[in-house]
Amino acid sequence: MEILIYGITNSVTLALMAIGFSLTFGISGLANFAHGAFYLLGGILTWIFLNQLGVPYLFSALISILLVGLLGFLLYWGLMLRLRGLAINEVIATLAAAIVIIEVLRWLGFSGFTYVLPEFIKGSVKIGNVWLDYQRIFLVGIGVALIIFFYLFTHRTKVGLSFRAIAQNERTAISLGIDSDWTAALSLAFGSALAVVAGLAILPLGSIDTEVGYDILIYALAVGIVGGLESIPGIVLASFILGFCQIAVATFFRAQWQTVVTLGAIVIILAVKPSGIFGKYKELEERV
Amino acid sequence: MKNKKLLLAAVLLSSFSILLSPSVILAAAKPIVLGLPTSFFQPLCKSGKLAVEMAIDEINAQGGIFVKDENVKRPLKLVTADTRCGEPGTPVQAALMAVDKLITEEKPDAIVVAPFRSEAMVATLDLIAKYKMITLQTISQSPKLIEIFQGDPEKYKYWFRATTNSIYVGTVAAKTMDAMRVQFKHDKFFVIAQDTLWARAAADAAKAKMEGFGWKTVGYEPVAVGTNDFSPVLSKARSSGAQMLYVVGDMPTLPVCFKQWKTMKIPTMLFLDFAVITSPKAWQTYGEDLDYVIVLPFPGGTAAPVKALPKSIEFHDKWKAKKYPLMDDPRVVSSAYDAVFILKDGIERAGFVPSKDPDKFAGIIEATDMMGVSGRIKFDKKTHNQIFNGNPKESSIIVAYQWRAGKMIPVFPDLVAEAKVELAPWMK
């Protein structure tokens, strides 16, 4: 029972970490290596609004989501637009942006264990014979809501449909009047904002430290590579595979192998199916 | 005319009185220069610097240190250098260059606190020997320093560790946990260690000591750095029947562990070897999640006052009076404060400053016998380490605390304990 419950919470945590990264890549083909930095920045901005400026928690969270989303949007127009299509340059540029953000935050003193976001509700509840904290229940709720929202957004809204159009065939989408740069910038903004949403759900479990900016990127990459970077069903499936594997390995073997599960899965998938379980990005090359 | 004369006399008198006042004499006397090379990125180094400044202000307010050979009271002056060795990726060489520059350019009479990281401290020993610089080092806990000192005591005689070392800390941690065996008849021990070299070494040492006391280790779980869900290992601790859970590490996600210990109601005591929660500030950050957790800030009284250590009460009162911020990491901060007074005591006994005759002054420091924040300060001549034992009247001590309702209650050793350890409510 414990494996089931904590397997689910761990899986949803991984899905939350990866979903923004996957969205951006799926639409614009842009691997946003600043994803972890945005996750961290969102947490710290919320902490500042809440603790230094006295803004209520909900508004602090909303302002942070908007600001980081805007930063993602500006990152595209200010930097990525010039590098579009140059995959290596994109990776270097976004990674450099991540390092700048994380190290500036470290330099400003946002390091250590002082920075903690409050849980939405403190305490825990017994499910069967397992105690589970309310924050993890919220986390699962937020994760499920995001996935549903994401599905409806990409299938029912004009912007969402334009996202999918660009993802399916950029040239055809352009010929139908969809502005590819505008859509890609929006996808980076959405992906960055989603990183903050994930942070707001996950960070209250522990504390905000600059190192998490790097850790989150690794988890997001692992989930994306296993599931298929551009595939939302793939992200969900990979999160559950990795999430349950991590809990099972820690329970039946040693907790220290949890990281090995994540990294090992990347190696295996890259060797067997480089596009990931549901990915189609390199499917043609794989067939050849 | 008469009024003018009176006015002139008053001006002359007041000028003389100003010139003869202690502060002016103090300003005229050549200051004794204290060097403080450490990594100011680290919270405990920042707090350590404040502690040194507090001690210097206190001494200077009394006119400085009386140097018998010069028949003058000399004020203290602090010079600092950032060794950056507490910042990620900074090589030891950078720390060494900072210390070397401080010594050669600022020409301090002695050094206090010293580099943060043990690797940098180990390398600094040779600089200390080269420049014959009396050094009261108060951060690094590595036993390696003792080994090096004992390899050539004559060469390294200028170095003193005016704080705890990891051997003392490990022993007191095990003794604190062992007190539960006596108090609650507990004897099952479970270890969760961050999977890094230092944390594994600390866990191994604790395990060996606990088994020596008669405890049975029912689980030993290394966890990867970055682990953000401790439920599998905590479940193992529950099912193993453990009564004492020892967790050691310093990774950013470690607060998840004690939060889950509470929310999952794991029926064990929790001894957490995690610097951050040894700070009085930790309650502001984590609140009631810390309730019933046992912690061990190194020298007694550095994190919170202990009634049996009067100087610790003074130290914290002065810290408050200075309006200094709460310490992020209080470990060894009181040692930095004490180090200045050890030097003062040494200079007053010697009658000269350390730089005048460092060889002789090393012997003076060896003979230190005074009261400090953590009890009586004496040095072991065989190791040049401050002696820490169980009785504050005989030596300095390390104190374990239990967090209860926002307060750090001293619970070990018995001689200074202000309350018995309490079980978490879900264990009763």
Side-chain angles (χ1 to χ4, degrees):
Chain A
M1 185 68 170
E2 223 154 45
I3 294 178
L4 178 70
I5 289 176
Y6 281 100
I8 291 171
T9 59
N10 195 39
S11 304
V12 176
T13 305
L14 287 173
L16 276 170
M17 288 173 184
I19 202 160
F21 185 87
S22 169
L23 171 82
T24 307
F25 188 83
I27 293 158
S28 59
L30 187 78
N32 178 19
F33 277 64
H35 183 74
F38 288 147
Y39 172 99
L40 172 70
L41 182 63
I44 287 175
L45 284 175
T46 308
W47 185 91
I48 292 171
F49 287 125
L50 183 65
N51 293 292
Q52 303 289 306
L53 305 175
V55 180
Y57 199 0
L58 183 65
F59 289 109
S60 301
L62 287 173
I63 297 168
S64 305
I65 291 168
L66 288 174
L67 282 179
V68 175
L70 182 66
L71 188 64
F73 188 82
L74 293 175
L75 180 70
Y76 184 86
W77 286 109
L79 187 65
M80 305 316 296
L81 184 64
R82 291 159 179 78
L83 305 171
R84 193 86 198 274
L86 304 167
I88 294 291
N89 297 32
E90 286 174 357
V91 168
I92 292 170
T94 52
L95 189 59
I99 292 169
V100 168
I101 292 169
I102 293 171
E103 296 308 321
V104 165
L105 288 173
R106 196 199 300 277
W107 178 69
L108 289 172
F110 292 104
S111 187
F113 297 82
T114 311
Y115 308 99
V116 172
L117 292 179
E119 288 128 328
F120 302 149
I121 300 178
K122 273 192 106 62
S124 55
V125 63
K126 203 169 187 182
I127 302 171
N129 59 349
V130 180
W131 284 99
L132 182 68
D133 46 299
Y134 291 121
Q135 185 64 27
R136 280 186 169 74
I137 297 172
F138 272 110
L139 188 148
V140 172
I142 289 170
V144 172
L146 259 189
I147 290 164
I148 294 170
F149 163 79
F150 202 62
Y151 178 84
L152 293 175
F153 174 75
T154 51
H155 287 78
R156 296 277 187 274
T157 68
K158 202 175 168 184
V159 179
L161 287 169
S162 70
F163 277 15
R164 287 174 65 210
I166 292 283
Q168 282 166 15
N169 192 317
E170 190 171 349
R171 289 185 180 194
T172 310
I174 291 168
S175 71
L176 291 171
I178 296 171
D179 185 333
S180 115
D181 284 329
W182 177 254
T183 310
L186 272 183
S187 79
L188 196 53
F190 265 80
S192 308
L194 283 175
V196 183
V197 174
L200 293 172
I202 299 165
L203 286 169
L205 297 172
S207 56
I208 312 170
D209 187 87
T210 43
E211 290 309 310
V212 301
Y214 296 111
D215 294 342
I216 294 303
L217 179 63
I218 292 169
Y219 284 120
L221 269 176
V223 172
I225 289 169
V226 172
L229 275 169
E230 76 281 23
S231 163
I232 293 300
I235 293 296
V236 175
L237 181 66
S239 300
F240 273 79
I241 292 172
L242 292 177
F244 271 90
C245 279
Q246 283 183 344
I247 296 292
V249 163
T251 305
F252 298 115
F253 300 99
R254 280 282 177 97
Q256 70 195 115
W257 302 115
Q258 274 181 301
T259 321
V260 179
V261 169
T262 320
L263 300 175
I266 296 178
V267 174
I268 293 168
I269 286 289
L270 286 178
V272 177
K273 195 173 185 302
S275 294
I277 298 169
F278 284 143
K280 292 187 168 57
Y281 205 64
K282 281 188 153 189
E283 206 175 37
L284 188 62
E285 292 165 45
E286 282 168 29
R287 280 187 206 151
V288 173
Chain B
M1 188 66 186
K2 198 180 172 185
N3 280 349
K4 271 186 182 175
K5 277 184 181 171
L6 273 174
L7 189 66
L8 187 66
V11 168
L12 283 171
L13 267 174
S14 53
S15 303
F16 271 116
S17 62
I18 289 169
L19 282 170
L20 291 171
S21 74
S23 60
V24 172
I25 292 170
L26 194 66
K30 190 185 165 198
I32 299 168
V33 181
L34 285 192
L36 196 167
T38 197
S39 180
F40 296 110
F41 176 77
Q42 287 292 334
L44 70 87
C45 300
K46 284 182 203 163
S47 301
K49 181 172 172 258
L50 290 178
V52 168
E53 286 171 349
M54 189 165 90
I56 288 176
D57 287 351
E58 208 177 314
I59 291 166
N60 285 349
Q62 291 166 358
I65 300 175
F66 181 66
V67 186
K68 198 177 158 193
D69 289 2
E70 300 168 26
N71 197 24
V72 67
K73 267 194 165 186
R74 288 175 61 180
L76 286 169
K77 180 188 162 194
L78 186 67
V79 290
T80 61
D82 193 351
T83 57
R84 299 186 58 222
C85 54
E87 295 176 33
T90 306
V92 167
Q93 185 59 25
L96 280 182
M97 283 166 67
V99 178
D100 201 313
K101 190 166 181 275
L102 179 88
I103 294 174
T104 52
E105 290 185 5
E106 303 284 355
K107 302 199 180 348
D109 292 290
I111 279 178
V112 290
V113 181
F116 168 80
R117 202 157 290 291
S118 293
E119 295 89 319
M121 190 60 233
V122 164
T124 301
L125 282 183
D126 280 324
L127 281 182
I128 292 170
K130 179 181 163 189
Y131 292 111
K132 297 188 174 185
M133 183 57 60
I134 291 293
T135 301
L136 291 169
Q137 171 250 309
T138 62
I139 298 183
S140 172
Q141 301 284 305
S142 171
K144 186 78 186 164
L145 294 165
I146 299 175
E147 204 182 294
I148 295 169
F149 169 78
Q150 288 179 331
D152 193 344
E154 186 54 31
K155 180 180 173 187
Y156 297 113
K157 67 182 174 190
Y158 315 100
W159 165 79
F160 292 85
R161 175 152 37 200
T163 190
T164 49
N165 65 48
S166 58
I167 302 167
Y168 289 136
V169 175
T171 305
V172 176
K175 281 182 177 173
T176 305
M177 288 187 278
D178 188 48
M180 309 302 122
R181 186 171 54 88
V182 180
Q183 192 180 341
F184 301 114
K185 310 274 181 263
H186 289 172
D187 64 353
K188 293 189 186 73
F189 179 62
F190 194 101
V191 182
I192 298 176
Q194 178 181 299
D195 196 11
T196 51
L197 208 56
W198 78 266
R200 293 286 294 266
D204 290 341
K207 179 173 171 283
K209 283 205 171 68
M210 291 295 273
E211 286 172 356
F213 289 141
W215 286 71
K216 188 180 167 198
T217 307
V218 292
Y220 184 104
E221 284 286 331
V223 290
V225 175
T227 300
N228 53 23
D229 185 357
F230 288 79
S231 60
V233 284
L234 290 170
S235 298
K236 280 185 187 176
R238 186 206 304 274
S239 55
S240 69
Q243 295 140 330
M244 171 56 72
L245 178 60
Y246 173 72
V247 180
V248 54
D250 63 357
M251 61 189 180
T253 55
L254 208 55
V256 179
C257 183
F258 64 80
K259 286 182 174 190
Q260 281 192 303
W261 169 74
K262 191 168 189 186
T263 55
M264 290 175 74
K265 300 190 191 303
I266 304 298
T268 63
M269 292 306 297
L270 175 58
F271 186 103
L272 197 44
D273 188 347
F274 179 41
V276 178
I277 61 155
T278 61
S279 159
K281 201 174 175 181
W283 190 266
Q284 289 180 359
T285 310
Y286 300 108
E288 60 192 34
D289 287 331
L290 282 173
D291 253 343
Y292 302 101
V293 174
I294 300 167
V295 294
L296 190 79
F298 306 153
T302 188
V306 179
K307 284 178 193 159
L309 302 172
K311 291 257 178 194
S312 74
I313 299 168
E314 280 176 31
F315 172 71
H316 287 279
D317 285 347
K318 285 172 189 166
W319 190 275
K320 262 187 217 161
K322 281 268 182 193
K323 295 190 169 53
Y324 284 161
L326 285 174
M327 301 170 206
D328 281 315
D329 182 352
R331 297 169 307 160
V332 304
V333 172
S334 65
S335 298
Y337 176 78
D338 277 344
V340 182
F341 284 96
I342 294 171
L343 276 174
K344 176 181 182 279
D345 174 69
I347 293 167
E348 284 171 350
R349 280 187 292 117
F352 57 87
V353 294
S355 55
K356 189 180 174 192
D357 187 348
D359 293 271
K360 205 171 167 190
F361 202 85
I364 297 287
I365 296 288
E366 260 187 5
T368 300
D369 189 351
M370 58 177 274
M371 293 308 285
V373 173
S374 310
R376 193 167 172 179
I377 300 174
K378 288 161 92 177
F379 286 96
D380 179 353
K381 288 179 185 166
K382 289 178 190 161
T383 60
H384 270 201
N385 272 224
Q386 189 174 331
I387 301 168
F388 279 80
N389 219 322
N391 187 343
K393 286 179 183 159
E394 291 168 7
S395 73
S396 301
I397 59 163
I398 297 171
V399 177
Y401 300 79
Q402 185 176 36
W403 275 106
R404 291 216 295 258
K407 287 188 178 156
M408 293 176 80
I409 314 282
V411 290
F412 187 86
D414 289 343
L415 265 177
V416 303
E418 289 167 25
K420 286 274 183 196
V421 169
E422 276 186 20
L423 293 175
W426 58 90
M427 280 188 80
K428 289 170 188 167

